[in-house]
Every structure is written in structure tokens, then in C-alpha cells.
Amino acid sequence: MSKDGIVNLIRPELANFTGYTAGKSLEEVEASARFPINGVIKLDANENLYGCSPKVMEALSKYDSFNLYPDSGQRELKRLLAGYTGVGPEHIVASSGSDQMIGLINQLFVGPGDEVINFPPTFDIFRFAVALYNGRLVDVLRDENYNVDVAATRKAITKKTKLIVLANPNNPTGTPTPREDILELLDTGVPLLADEAYVEFSGETATNLVPNYKNLMVLRTFSKWAGLASFRIGYGIFPPEIASYLMNIKMPYSVSAASTIAVRESLKDRDFLMERVKKIVAERERLYGELKKIEWLKPYPSKANFIFCKVLNGRARQIYEGLLDRCIIIRYAGNHLLKDFIRIGVGKPEHTDIVIKAIREIG
Ligand SMILES: Cc1ncc(COP(=O)(O)O)c(C=O)c1O
């Protein structure tokens, strides 16, 4: 069949769908760098540059049942994650990364023409997931300090509103949403997805509200604090009714046995991992201070493991490209809202030193 023929068969609304732009690969960056330094410094995807717990590697090397499917009912995972989050296992559903859970939640709530309220600039997977299910994204812009505009949100709600998506703290801005605002959003009665991918760095969570609200879903991940981004381990804390719908629609073996082992061992090594989180938080504050010293940059305070920064001299793209030339990857989205902004992940102290020196050279 010709290529044209396939276009006629797929869902028409996906024919021109552009998808999600993921970060650059290490190989790509190494191959094109003009002034390569020793290895690539990857500060574009908010990963944990300290790595995962050594206990994960040890336990994986001893596991001898990779030939068997994992438990589709996620019994051990639910128990472990319930222990970690302080809610009952009936509230927990795990997924292959929290990205996958964002997709599942949209699949559950959003049909063609349904509306989802979004607070840009924010995590682009929200737009991506809504588009996949043919929903309509209703953007309620954040204010000049990147806080959510609750009054405007209330006005934006219609009979078709099925979901509000809130990254807390927000990506890419690092802004936390105060609890009063979360409570006001919950009082609208619309299902609220509070994505807390960076909660271990921010220390603020809405988890304890879940047992009292039928419309609150809190999303978490092991990608950031536990250094397990490549394992793809996300989970949500849901009202039990929503949790059981999600268990029904998820693919059966969506979290691997290897990921379950990684969760178990990370939670055993929680104190060790949280010491690293503390180091990252301290380094975040140092990076913020160093960026602030550069007069043509305006960094924003952050509760996550990255710093959002306005480039006041109009050279955001040049900074991004100049850093790439030096094998340093940061995030530059370049769209209309973010044309003058960069986002820099927090690494180890030596990464801060290298990136600050390079930014000064390029600027
Ligand atoms: C707000 C937010 N949610 C979710 C994710 C994705 O997490 P995961 O690796 O669990 O899919 C990210 C990753 O950058 C994020 O910033």
C-alpha cells in the first residue's frame, strides 16, 4: 500500500500531530560539539547526576526470574509505595514512568472535544497527552511570577471541563503552588492531576488530601530523586475508585520486575538517596546565586532540581547552542512563551562550575 493510503487510514487528527520533543541524545551532542570537554554534561532533562542506589545494581544482578512476567496486580509495589507515601495500598497505581500515567489519566477522563485546563508555561507532556485523546487544551496562563491564576481558572471551567493538570512545583519554572490554591482548585469539583515529580526536592505534597477528596490525583516518579529515569517508574496516589478504573485500563505488565526491584532497593536505601537530594537542593541554591551574579540573566527561585532563567540580552538560543558546542546540554524550548528563557538542571558542584564558566564565555 502507498504511504498516502496509510494517511487515509489513521485517525485524521493525528495525521499532522508533531508529538513531543524529547532531549538530545548523548551521541548526537558528542558528534556535533565543536569544543568538546571531557564527556557530555547533561543538564536538560532534570535527571539525577549522582545516579541510583548501588543496592539496585546488586539486587538486579542476583534476580533469577526475568523469564517470568511481573505481577500485573502490582501487589508488592502498592505495598512499598503505600509505605513510602503514608496512604493505603488501595490508593496506589504504578506505571512505566509518570508520563505513562499522565496518558492513562487522559485516556480515562478525556474524550473527543472534552476540555483540559493547563497552566503554561508548563510540562509539555500535558499538551501531548490531551492531543492524543483528541481533547481540547484550555490554556490559563500563569502570572508574571509563574503562579497559577485561580480566579481565571474558575472562569475557564465549562460543562466540558474534565481535568485540570498542575505540575507542582512547575516545570520549567520551578514554582510551587500554595496549598490554598490547590484547595480552591479542588473545590471546583473538577478532577485535579497534581504532578509532584519533584516533591522530594520541594518537600511539599498534597498526598495527605487524597483520602478526603474524590477529585485529587497526585503523581510521583522515581526518575528524579532516586536516579532511576531509565527504569521508567512512576506512580499515582488516587481516590480508590479512580485507582481501580486505572488498574482496569492499564496494560497488564506495565511495570517490569526490574523496576519493582529498583523501587524496593531504593526505598531500603532511602536515607542515602535523601542525603543526595539534600546535596542537590544545596547546589540548586548555589547555582541560583551564581546565575544571579551574571547581570544579563534573571534566574527564578526554584523548588525543583533545575533553575529557570530569563536571558535578558536576547541571546537565549546562542547560550544554548554555545553550551552544546562545549558538550553541555541544557533545555531551550524556543517557543513563543519561552523564546528568551533557558532551564538548567542541577548537577554536582563541578557541573555548576563548568556551566557558569561556559555561560560567561558565551554571553
Ligand atoms: C512535571 C513532570 N512530570 C513528569 C515527568 C516525567 O517523569 P517520568 O520520568 O516519571 O515519566 C517530568 C520529567 O521531566 C516532569 O517534569
Side-chain angles (χ1 to χ4, degrees):
M1 188 187 294
S2 73
K3 195 165 161 284
D4 286 352
I6 292 293
V7 165
N8 292 332
L9 293 173
I10 66 169
R11 283 166 46 198
E13 66 278 10
L14 293 184
N16 295 316
F17 185 54
T18 51
Y20 176 80
T21 313
K24 283 184 181 291
S25 74
L26 298 185
E27 290 83 353
E28 227 181 314
V29 174
E30 257 174 334
S32 64
R34 287 192 300 152
F35 320 110
I37 40 179
N38 210 357
V40 175
I41 301 178
K42 197 166 178 308
L43 303 172
D44 63 329
N46 312 331
E47 290 139 325
N48 186 331
L49 297 198
Y50 286 91
C52 68
S53 160
K55 287 196 194 318
V56 170
M57 263 90 88
E58 237 173 81
L60 284 172
S61 69
K62 290 186 191 141
Y63 187 69
D64 63 0
S65 301
F66 283 125
N67 57 319
L68 303 179
Y69 284 110
D71 172 20
S72 177
Q74 306 182 342
R75 285 164 195 83
E76 184 189 359
L77 268 176
K78 283 175 189 257
R79 245 189 348 264
L80 290 167
L81 295 169
Y84 180 52
T85 56
V87 297
E90 69 281 9
H91 289 283
I92 306 279
V93 181
S95 54
S96 171
S98 46
D99 285 351
Q100 190 189 53
M101 188 61 84
I102 294 168
L104 269 184
I105 291 169
N106 275 275
Q107 208 172 334
L108 187 62
F109 287 97
V110 182
D114 286 338
E115 294 173 1
V116 177
I117 296 187
N118 185 45
F119 303 117
T122 193
F123 188 41
D124 200 43
I125 289 283
F126 297 148
R127 173 198 62 80
F128 169 78
V130 173
L132 271 185
Y133 296 103
N134 217 357
R136 198 171 84 76
L137 201 67
V138 176
D139 282 337
V140 176
L141 286 187
R142 287 169 177 264
D143 70 13
E144 68 281 6
N145 294 316
Y146 299 107
N147 291 312
V148 168
D149 184 340
V150 178
T153 306
R154 252 194 250 101
K155 282 190 203 141
I157 292 172
T158 72
K159 287 204 177 90
K160 288 186 174 173
T161 309
K162 291 294 183 69
L163 190 62
I164 299 174
V165 285
L166 168 73
N168 184 29
N170 188 38
N171 174 8
T173 61
T175 328
T177 297
R179 177 161 287 229
E180 312 85 82
D181 289 358
I182 291 176
L183 291 172
E184 281 199 52
L185 293 174
L186 285 170
D187 285 343
T188 64
V190 176
L192 173 68
L193 187 173
D195 180 346
E196 296 185 354
Y198 303 96
V199 65
E200 282 81 3
F201 302 96
S202 77
E204 285 166 33
T205 178
T207 300
N208 61 343
L209 297 173
V210 174
N212 299 325
Y213 283 87
K214 287 203 159 94
N215 58 333
L216 175 59
M217 299 172 272
V218 174
L219 235 61
R220 304 268 197 92
T221 178
F222 275 61
S223 295
K224 316 295 180 180
W225 76 283
L228 289 169
S230 73
F231 272 85
R232 314 304 301 122
I233 307 164
Y235 62 101
I237 302 144
F238 303 96
E241 199 183 354
I242 297 181
S244 61
Y245 284 124
L246 288 167
M247 288 301 288
N248 285 343
I249 67 166
K250 75 172 183 61
M251 287 289 172
Y253 308 114
S254 49
V255 185
S256 69
S259 295
T260 305
I261 292 168
V263 167
R264 186 196 308 147
E265 298 302 317
S266 299
L267 292 179
K268 273 190 210 157
D269 219 6
R270 187 174 156 185
D271 291 346
F272 170 81
L273 290 170
M274 284 310 288
E275 276 307 310
R276 288 175 165 182
V277 166
K278 268 196 209 156
K279 283 189 189 164
I280 294 168
V281 167
E283 197 53 30
R284 173 184 79 199
E285 298 311 310
R286 189 170 82 90
L287 175 62
Y288 174 81
E290 291 299 321
L291 292 166
K292 216 172 159 133
K293 287 182 198 159
I294 301 174
E295 61 280 5
W296 44 268
L297 289 180
K298 179 183 176 195
Y300 288 79
S302 170
K303 288 282 182 191
N305 64 346
F306 52 80
I307 302 273
F308 183 64
C309 208
K310 182 161 192 181
V311 182
L312 303 168
N313 63 6
R315 286 171 49 78
R317 178 180 288 281
Q318 285 89 333
I319 300 296
Y320 165 71
E321 285 171 355
L323 289 174
L324 270 187
D325 272 343
R326 290 160 175 79
C327 275
I328 304 168
I329 323 176
I330 62 163
R331 188 79 170 163
Y332 176 64
N335 61 38
H336 71 290
L337 281 180
L338 297 175
K339 172 173 82 55
D340 292 322
F341 294 86
I342 53 177
R343 190 195 68 199
I344 307 174
V346 180
K348 296 179 180 174
E350 58 264 36
H351 301 129
T352 301
D353 295 340
I354 294 171
V355 79
I356 291 290
K357 182 166 173 282
I359 288 176
R360 286 187 181 277
E361 278 169 18
I362 302 159

